[in-house]
Amino acid sequence: MSISSIFAIHLNDVARMRWRDVWIFQRVYSFSLFSSSTTDKLAFNTVDNGYLKLDRVRIPRANMAMKFSTVARDGTYSRADGAKRELSYFTMLQMRFHMVHGSAKTLSKAATIAVRYSAIRLQGLSATAPHGEVRVLDYQSQQHRVLPRVAESFAIFATSHVYNAFCTQATAMVDTSPDSIDATSLAMAHAISCALKVAASELCTRGIEICRRACGGHGYLQSSGLPELGGFAAQFVTAEGENYVISQQTTRTLLKLVGAYRMGVALPPSLEIFHALDGPLPKLSATDYEALFRYRFLSLLHQFDATAAAYPSPDVAIQTNLIESHHLALCYGKYVLVHEFAAAVESLSRATKPIAVALFELFCVTQLQEDLGDFMALVQLPTSARASLHARLTHLLDAVRPHAVALVDAFDHSDVSLNSTLGRADGNVYDALMQSSLLYASDAVPGFTEYLQPLRRLHASSRL
Amino acid sequence: MSISSIFAIHLNDVARMRWRDVWIFQRVYSFSLFSSSTTDKLAFNTVDNGYLKLDRVRIPRANMAMKFSTVARDGTYSRADGAKRELSYFTMLQMRFHMVHGSAKTLSKAATIAVRYSAIRLQGLSATAPHGEVRVLDYQSQQHRVLPRVAESFAIFATSHVYNAFCTQATAMVDTSPDSIDATSLAMAHAISCALKVAASELCTRGIEICRRACGGHGYLQSSGLPELGGFAAQFVTAEGENYVISQQTTRTLLKLVGAYRMGVALPPSLEIFHALDGPLPKLSATDYEALFRYRFLSLLHQFDATAAAYPSPDVAIQTNLIESHHLALCYGKYVLVHEFAAAVESLSRATKPIAVALFELFCVTQLQEDLGDFMALVQLPTSARASLHARLTHLLDAVRPHAVALVDAFDHSDVSLNSTLGRADGNVYDALMQSSLLYASDAVPGFTEYLQPLRRLHASSRL
């Protein structure tokens, strides 16, 4: 917090302001009424969030970001020529794709820590060879907790690369000639950014916590790095549009695009899947991964579209059916993840493809298991799929296990960025734990230096 | 941490020690090799966990807890007459039931905070009456996030009351005449304590995080009380037997009891459900709540028992099928929750029964939805149940909503114990947030008092 810190504020519901506008000004300007930091947060405490109230404050015109709307010297408010309404949301769109990438990054850090620790941690005896302790990563349940998180990290990274590239390209187009972006593509990008942020942040936060628990009591230590990662990632769920709020925007856009499709408007390539919206369902088996997620999404969309017809407006339909709306958006996000992960795997060389295919399958199988009722009820997956998916799962865990450490090494997180006693690349977990424990003992406990340490020295060689 | 702090340590794998034994001694005794606190934890930092290494240390005989095993003056180690092996685990059994109760308590605190905040928080406009802001608890999605947590709290409380009573009774019996407890009942209590601890701690920790998120950005503030609650409850998953470890003990005991049942041994009343283990499946509908959970559990148990027959021992079967073993134990825990919640609701007066029935149904419906694939594949629930369960869910949310605040008031948590700006009984959330924010600003930011506060005073009346 410093007096030169700047605030970028969104003003809406203000007379004569029809869009959200951005103003930049020194914090000192706000003293006229009230400004303050919030209290401590779950994490992310290096960023200072604050409250701000303004009451009849004049802000110089020069402090308004005037690319898409302007206030003239005489106070006239006007929209810039040719500026699309969607462009005013462009920063939020960028931020959401940024959070999708951030979800992959933080989840892959947690997966790195959990895999490395599980690969060196010995605990419990083997039921078949009772004299050796077992590496915890060799337990099926530990693999089931940790390895799908590796697969999810790759799925989100693969998708994030595609949409970050789109975003960079779109940003350049907005800068040079805003007219060259059509409104449908922008609306679509908006819907995808919301759906992906919802799906990625849910996978990320859940996955980090699973990794933390998979490290047992040591995962409860701050020095494992996992509590901080979890606290940091928790913001992805809430910020830049709380997940249950922005999922409504995905539904709204999808309904609009379905309407346009039915009226014969040409669709962007990513929406050609709409052609199967009203058609008969093909017979799908448990290994038709992409098709299963596509038809599950289309079935939900078809259903919601039919439901919405009974309401006076899409907004009323959504607000009355928020549970289904959120589920639709989440399942759209999951379909996009499966679709982009499949495409990324397809593009790989012969050397890396087999393990990537196994990770892709692991991602799909665990996701299918999670929503099994959906797939049985909506796309007629037979109930026998429950057993076949489980068999496939255990096969995949066996296949991925030998590559687990190499796969997390491939995320290329340095020890500094992991900041974890458990996730060190050299595997010296116990030395690191002991070091961090000793640091704590001599610095942080009242009375340690004065009373306990001398006693400890006194008894250092005693044999009571 | 003080030199008079005591350690209760579990020694195993030590020559001549055939059980786990408990010794109590002053920390000073351990200085001969090494002892230290661990570093900061996710939460629960008021309790000092430590490392301890002993190397050729003599501990006085008087410091051994000798109820069930003794060491004579000449060093002879022996088991007390008539002491059952199961009794040595009795403390852990008590601790697990204690954690089940703790899960209900912490989850109900989070639910109280989220319901109270959602009941006063206004956000967004109604699609049908666009001029009034909406109480967030009136959004269907917010109800879906928060109200099942209220139902889960009641489910765990109801079950916990039954088993705490059992535990108190059993403790008295152990104290007076250990012989009066039969080994089957003790083994069964052990299996149930593990299964319930797994199910309750999973519901609790997940529920607290859902409540935290349901409070939006304010739930990210430490002053909401929710981050601390979540961090505290996280230990229930890991301590007194990590959930994936103790679930194996439930499976092991269940397999043993199934074996005994098949050999004609008389079963305790709680296991009379085994009579349906091999019989034909009745036709069940989506509202046969208790039967659905009972038959799902029995189906999994039947399946695991059949699988286990192919292995040299139950231990090998469990270690080779850890994913299914964990799922079996979790589903047993969920069945016990449904069973005890149903019994508790049945015992209520006419005045309180209707709302309790609604909560019971809400618990069952959301649990059925979560594992829908299980119920379709294992107990032949028709796929049409997906739609009927959703319809029932929205009906129940509507029915519970008007009672939500009264229901969380019934948990009777004081403002002091909630320690939350958002969960205050008087609903003055914004005053509380502002107070906590002002406290922070004047105390905690370096340079605030010296530099920022004088500037703020200087500009207090400026109109730039």
Side-chain angles (χ1 to χ4, degrees), chain A residues 1-3 28-29 31-32 34-44 51 53 55-59 125-128 139-141 144-145 202 205-206 209 212-213 216-218 220-223 227 231-232 234-235 237-238 242 244 300 303 315-316 319-324 327 370 372-374 376-378 383 386 390 393-394 397 433-434 436-438 440-441 445 448 452 455-456 459-460 462-464, chain B residues 1-3 27-29 31-32 34-44 51 53 55-58 125-128 139-141 144-145 202 205-206 209 212-213 216-218 220-223 227 231-232 234-235 237-238 242 244 300 303 315-316 319-324 327 370 372-374 376-378 383 386 390 393-394 397 433-434 436-438 440-441 445 448 452 455-456 459-460 462-464:
Chain A
M1 187 159 126
S2 95
I3 54 162
V28 68
Y29 289 6
F31 293 164
S32 50
F34 179 79
S35 89
S36 168
S37 296
T38 56
T39 53
D40 270 354
K41 291 170 290 183
L42 174 54
F44 207 49
Y51 294 106
K53 277 188 192 173
D55 183 19
R56 280 159 294 176
V57 173
R58 283 176 189 270
I59 306 166
L125 300 177
S126 161
T128 45
Y139 289 115
Q140 191 191 55
S141 49
H144 187 219
R145 295 167 92 174
E202 297 283 347
T205 48
R206 183 187 64 170
E209 177 61 10
R212 193 192 64 69
R213 294 179 184 190
H218 284 149
Y220 199 71
L221 296 177
Q222 291 289 357
S223 77
F232 176 78
Q235 64 177 303
V237 173
T238 307
E242 201 278 334
Y244 280 76
L300 289 169
Q303 213 170 68
D315 281 351
V316 178
Q319 211 170 71
T320 319
N321 299 280
L322 281 170
I323 298 173
E324 282 160 307
H327 189 58
E370 211 165 284
L372 202 50
D374 258 22
M376 287 175 182
L378 300 175
T383 54
R386 185 183 178 280
H390 179 73
L393 171 70
T394 57
L397 294 177
L433 280 170
M434 213 50 106
S436 78
S437 164
L438 290 171
Y440 179 75
V445 181
F448 181 85
L452 206 55
L455 266 174
R456 180 180 283 196
H459 290 276
S462 73
R463 292 283 178 272
L464 293 171
Chain B
M1 187 160 126
S2 95
I3 53 162
R27 191 165 182 160
V28 68
Y29 289 6
F31 293 164
S32 50
F34 179 80
S35 89
S36 168
S37 295
T38 56
T39 54
D40 270 354
K41 292 170 289 183
L42 174 53
F44 206 48
Y51 294 105
K53 278 188 191 172
D55 184 19
R56 280 159 294 177
V57 172
R58 283 177 190 269
L125 300 177
S126 161
T128 45
Y139 289 115
Q140 191 190 55
S141 50
H144 187 219
R145 296 167 92 174
E202 296 283 346
T205 49
R206 182 187 65 169
E209 177 61 10
R212 194 193 64 70
R213 294 180 184 189
H218 284 149
Y220 199 70
L221 296 177
Q222 291 289 358
S223 77
F232 176 78
Q235 64 176 304
V237 173
T238 306
E242 201 277 334
Y244 280 77
L300 288 169
Q303 214 170 69
D315 281 352
V316 178
Q319 210 170 72
T320 320
N321 299 280
L322 282 170
I323 297 173
E324 282 160 307
H327 189 58
E370 212 165 284
L372 202 51
D374 258 22
M376 287 175 183
L378 300 175
T383 55
R386 185 183 178 279
H390 179 73
L393 171 70
T394 57
L397 294 176
L433 280 170
M434 213 52 105
S436 78
S437 163
L438 289 171
Y440 180 75
V445 181
F448 181 85
L452 206 55
L455 266 174
R456 181 180 282 197
H459 290 276
S462 72
R463 291 284 177 273
L464 293 171

Side-chain angles (χ1 to χ4, degrees), chain B residues 97-361:
Chain B
F97 284 129
H98 180 73
M99 284 184 169
V100 173
H101 185 75
S103 295
K105 206 165 157 184
T106 43
L107 177 57
S108 65
K109 282 185 183 180
T112 303
I113 295 169
V115 164
R116 286 182 179 165
Y117 175 67
S118 306
I120 65 101
R121 171 75 174 176
L122 303 173
Q123 197 169 0
L125 300 177
S126 161
T128 45
H131 294 293
E133 276 193 297
V134 179
R135 271 171 215 281
V136 295
L137 194 51
D138 288 330
Y139 289 115
Q140 191 190 55
S141 50
Q142 188 76 356
Q143 294 168 7
H144 187 219
R145 296 167 92 174
V146 171
L147 300 183
R149 272 57 286 162
V150 178
E152 287 159 6
S153 303
F154 278 106
I156 307 173
F157 267 130
T159 309
S160 153
H161 288 161
V162 174
Y163 285 97
N164 280 347
F166 161 82
C167 218
T168 310
Q169 193 190 358
T171 309
M173 286 167 81
V174 168
D175 278 348
T176 52
S177 60
D179 290 342
S180 59
I181 296 193
D182 68 294
T184 309
S185 293
L186 267 180
M188 197 56 215
H190 184 59
I192 292 182
S193 79
C194 293
L196 276 180
K197 188 235 166 195
V198 171
S201 63
E202 296 283 346
L203 286 172
C204 162
T205 49
R206 182 187 65 169
I208 292 172
E209 177 61 10
I210 294 175
C211 288
R212 194 193 64 70
R213 294 180 184 189
C215 294
H218 284 149
Y220 199 70
L221 296 177
Q222 291 289 358
S223 77
S224 72
L226 293 162
E228 177 68 22
L229 270 181
F232 176 78
Q235 64 176 304
F236 297 148
V237 173
T238 306
E240 288 307 323
E242 201 277 334
N243 280 0
Y244 280 77
V245 175
I246 57 166
S247 63
Q248 298 170 44
Q249 301 188 20
T250 299
T251 304
R252 193 172 297 121
T253 305
L254 287 171
L255 290 179
K256 220 163 105 182
L257 292 169
V258 168
Y261 160 70
R262 295 234 160 95
M263 285 168 66
V265 175
L267 295 174
S270 64
L271 285 185
E272 277 167 15
I273 59 170
F274 278 13
H275 293 308
L277 197 58
D278 308 309
L281 202 63
K283 202 170 163 53
L284 297 169
S285 86
T287 52
D288 296 324
Y289 301 120
E290 201 190 328
L292 283 165
F293 285 91
R294 185 168 68 241
Y295 281 101
R296 191 260 301 250
F297 159 61
L298 288 173
S299 164
L300 288 169
L301 181 57
H302 180 90
Q303 214 170 69
F304 203 98
D305 186 51
T307 305
Y311 291 88
S313 76
D315 281 352
V316 178
I318 291 169
Q319 210 170 72
T320 320
N321 299 280
L322 282 170
I323 297 173
E324 282 160 307
S325 162
H326 184 73
H327 189 58
L328 170 65
L330 180 64
C331 293
Y332 179 50
K334 287 187 177 179
Y335 160 66
V336 175
L337 286 172
V338 169
H339 176 76
E340 298 299 348
F341 196 8
V345 167
E346 213 42 59
S347 72
L348 293 174
S349 71
R350 277 217 319 214
T352 46
K353 203 166 169 180
I355 185 66
V357 168
L359 287 171
F360 170 71
E361 274 204 66

